[in-house]
Amino acid sequence: MSCGCGTLTLPSIPEDISAKIHNHPCYSEGAHHHYARIHLPVAPACNIQCNYCNRKFDCSNESRPGVTSMRLKPEEGIKKVLYVGGKLHRLSVVGIAGPGDSLADAKKTLPTLALIKEHAPDLKLCISTNGLLLEEYLDDLITLGVDHVTVTINTIDPEIGAKIYPWVFYQGKRYKGVEAASLLLQKQLLGIEKAVQKGLLIKANSVLIPGINDHHLPLVSQKLRELGVFLHNIMPLLSEPEFGTYFALNGVRSATDEELSRVQEACGMDIRLMTHCRQCRADAVGLVGEDQSGEIHPEEYLPLSIEALKEHYNVALRNESFEKIELFRKALDKANERIEKESLSSNGQTFLVAVTSGGEGMINQHFGSVKEFLIYEAGDKGVKFRQARKISTEYCTGPDSCGNPMDEICSRLHDCTLILTAKIGSCPQESLAKVGLITSEKWANQPIEKSILEAVQEYIISHDQERG
Ligand code: CLF
Ligand code: SF4
């Protein structure tokens, strides 16, 4: 099973853990092409302040900054889950990731999880927290069957922490500066340690903040590994003036793709990395990377009774869909297995390849409708997923409106060698060729990894021939 690993050669994943992550789209890179998640925005309160967060918007620890989700009550949340699960059979996980901190608002998070456990027990339960109250609520989470928990931990040094967290509110008292950062760190480490001891699968998120914790994150990774954390997700700081955060207004800029790659490379020496995170919304719905939240309207599910929604949810049909997905995954793994057997013989060179995909692990999206490119790295060590790069608008937004975000696309893909896509017009193809990007439709509707292997092999051969 592929798991979004970094550069470290880790021992293989034990069978019981493999089973737990098999259809979790965040914990398993392989699963994210096939299985969907839903976030329920039931928890608006928070007990700390992060300098990259503006509380007018959703929690930036597990969501894209600058987005405001509609709040739901627990009983509205379960209705939404049953409604979406009945429509979107590939839904496998429910996450609570804000819009504040799930455990600062445990009075709403825990009843919501209890309702899901009661009415949709086939779904995995997942929460994301800043960790301040993790230890306090651990037993409740275990009783409810939550076994995937994300803790955002940006530093293990209180001096650095004081630059990120201006205050922490704990047991009726507001702490500030280094004292606040020390308290938060101590509670995070204790919560993680206890959670791992009790068998929870912990993912840690760290926001990569240029000039603040960029050089320090490998130490965080080391510590997380010692604590038994399963996966480390480095998320680039997104910092735009319109987000109105302390960092954005005080000159702390967004992290670049290159900085992210560099830090991932350094952290991947110590721990298994998640590289396919899309910093989704607190009300995200659908495959990771393909948010369908705008298609789900409260008036469609709120008037219905739980009983009616359970019928619509239809566990038997959902099970059949899961079986089909698993058959497809097996066929896909078989098609991709060549990449494990065949060496690329790139003589130490690595190539970045951008792919357009609408899911299912295939090159099945038209260049014109792409909102994000999947970037893979291919070299002597094989083909591995590196990161997703979003663009602000698709190349083509309608029949009469072929836009021209080509400058942005060229700049986001400037370090790539090849672009593999399902379809591309001659006009964008020529523009990309001018900046040295080679595009190809040859692998349209083919599995991603084996296509990259073949495309890079072809590229190496043709270049060797050119050089004589
Ligand atoms: Fe949601 Fe987070 Fe659970 Fe996934 S998201 S609570 S672990 S179900 Fe996933 Fe979204 Fe990244 Fe989060 S892609 S922001 S890592
Ligand atoms: Fe914002 Fe989340 Fe930090 Fe709270 S924990 S301040 S909601 S980013």
Side-chain angles (χ1 to χ4, degrees):
M1 179 184 305
S2 154
C3 207
C5 300
T7 50
L8 176 68
T9 310
L10 284 157
S12 59
I13 300 171
E15 253 174 54
D16 56 330
I17 295 184
S18 276
K20 276 189 188 174
I21 66 168
H22 184 70
N23 61 6
H24 193 305
C26 304
Y27 281 65
S28 158
E29 202 262 310
H32 100 282
H33 298 295
H34 310 280
Y35 288 101
R37 48 74 181 109
I38 180 170
H39 281 173
L40 294 179
V42 293
C46 190
N47 43 14
I48 68 172
Q49 178 65 53
C50 306
N51 276 332
Y52 47 74
C53 177
N54 175 350
R55 295 299 294 117
K56 277 200 298 192
F57 303 118
D58 294 351
C59 174
S60 312
N61 280 342
E62 187 83 356
S63 330
R64 188 150 280 271
V67 171
T68 310
S69 304
M70 191 189 94
R71 310 321 192 220
L72 288 178
K73 296 187 182 115
E75 48 287 3
E76 295 171 331
I78 179 60
K79 287 188 171 189
K80 186 171 184 183
V81 166
L82 292 170
Y83 180 67
V84 171
K87 270 168 84 98
L88 185 66
H89 289 169
R90 58 177 76 247
L91 182 73
S92 63
V93 180
V94 182
I96 298 183
D101 181 72
S102 62
L103 296 180
D105 232 342
K107 279 195 194 118
K108 292 173 190 144
T109 296
L110 299 179
T112 308
L113 295 168
L115 284 167
I116 301 163
K117 182 176 156 85
E118 180 185 348
H119 296 295
D122 60 325
L123 291 172
K124 284 186 189 307
L125 302 178
C126 192
I127 66 148
S128 162
T129 175
N130 59 39
L132 185 66
L133 297 180
L134 178 56
E135 194 213 349
E136 265 101 318
Y137 287 107
L138 208 46
D139 289 336
D140 295 295
L141 294 172
I142 291 168
T143 307
L144 288 165
V146 177
D147 57 9
H148 295 77
V149 172
T150 295
V151 181
T152 297
I153 177 162
N154 296 315
T155 172
I156 51 167
D157 177 346
E159 297 287 336
I160 297 177
K163 295 180 190 163
I164 303 172
Y165 307 107
W167 56 258
V168 165
F169 190 76
Y170 182 65
Q171 293 187 336
K173 184 175 168 194
R174 191 176 298 269
Y175 296 81
K176 292 188 174 167
V178 176
E179 195 189 7
S182 295
L183 171 66
L184 178 62
L185 176 62
Q186 178 211 329
K187 300 296 288 176
Q188 288 171 328
L189 297 179
L190 189 65
I192 292 174
E193 190 184 338
K194 291 265 157 79
V196 170
Q197 275 168 10
K198 294 190 177 190
L200 294 194
L201 219 45
I202 302 292
K203 170 167 88 56
N205 283 356
S206 298
V207 181
L208 161 55
I209 310 165
I212 306 264
N213 69 351
D214 39 0
H215 296 294
H216 170 70
L217 284 176
L219 289 179
V220 177
S221 269
Q222 264 177 32
K223 181 71 188 170
L224 294 172
R225 187 186 190 186
E226 282 164 30
L227 289 169
V229 167
F230 176 71
L231 199 59
H232 193 189
N233 176 24
I234 318 283
M235 306 159 81
L237 176 72
L238 303 175
S239 188
E240 301 297 333
E242 61 269 27
F243 300 161
T245 63
Y246 176 84
F247 277 160
L249 300 175
N250 286 277
V252 180
R253 60 167 175 81
S254 300
T256 64
D257 295 332
E258 286 76 13
E259 283 168 331
L260 178 63
S261 295
R262 226 175 12 252
V263 175
Q264 282 175 333
E265 198 72 31
C267 292
M269 302 304 289
D270 283 299
I271 196 165
R272 184 173 284 108
L273 291 183
M274 175 183 188
T275 52
H276 62 281
C277 176
R278 309 296 208 281
Q279 293 167 275
C280 29
R281 305 163 53 111
D283 62 356
V285 175
L287 290 174
V288 167
E290 178 221 48
D291 184 30
Q292 294 177 261
S293 54
E295 297 165 29
I296 311 292
H297 306 290
E299 59 276 17
E300 292 164 13
Y301 58 87
L302 286 183
L304 302 177
S305 69
I306 298 262
E307 284 318 307
L309 284 162
K310 275 171 86 169
E311 237 174 85
H312 159 82
Y313 185 72
N314 199 333
V315 176
L317 250 184
R318 285 175 46 79
N319 286 342
E320 272 178 38
S321 301
F322 272 40
E323 279 167 23
K324 284 186 195 148
I325 292 172
E326 285 309 313
L327 282 176
F328 184 85
R329 278 181 89 177
K330 274 203 185 104
L332 190 68
D333 285 349
K334 182 109 193 86
N336 281 327
E337 80 187 355
R338 266 186 62 199
I339 64 162
E340 274 153 38
K341 294 189 188 137
E342 261 178 65
S343 156
L344 198 50
S345 302
S346 65
N347 299 325
Q349 285 176 280
T350 53
F351 302 87
L352 292 187
V353 180
V355 160
T356 66
S357 174
E360 304 202 316
M362 309 284 277
I363 299 170
N364 54 4
Q365 198 173 26
H366 191 303
F367 180 85
S369 56
V370 162
K371 286 191 186 145
E372 64 173 22
F373 291 90
L374 305 186
I375 310 297
Y376 285 76
E377 183 183 292
D380 290 341
K381 290 184 191 141
V383 175
K384 72 177 183 205
F385 179 74
R386 193 79 196 235
Q387 57 194 209
R389 294 186 190 165
K390 287 190 185 295
I391 50 167
S392 48
T393 25
E394 307 93 299
Y395 179 76
C396 185
T397 49
D400 306 316
S401 60
C402 263
N404 198 5
M406 205 37 102
D407 289 348
E408 186 189 4
I409 295 175
C410 291
S411 125
R412 300 259 26 218
L413 303 185
H414 73 277
D415 49 355
C416 296
T417 305
L418 302 169
I419 302 173
L420 307 186
T421 183
K423 191 97 192 116
I424 183 166
S426 55
C427 179
Q429 201 164 24
E430 280 161 21
S431 306
L432 292 162
K434 279 187 196 147
V435 294
L437 284 162
I438 302 168
T439 44
S440 176
E441 297 172 354
K442 180 173 168 186
W443 289 274
N445 300 311
Q446 299 284 317
I448 294 174
E449 282 141 335
K450 75 111 191 164
S451 303
I452 291 173
L453 178 87
E454 289 170 10
V456 175
Q457 277 170 338
E458 271 193 26
Y459 174 82
I460 292 171
I461 291 166
S462 69
H463 267 243
D464 285 350
Q465 282 167 352
E466 268 173 34
R467 280 198 295 264

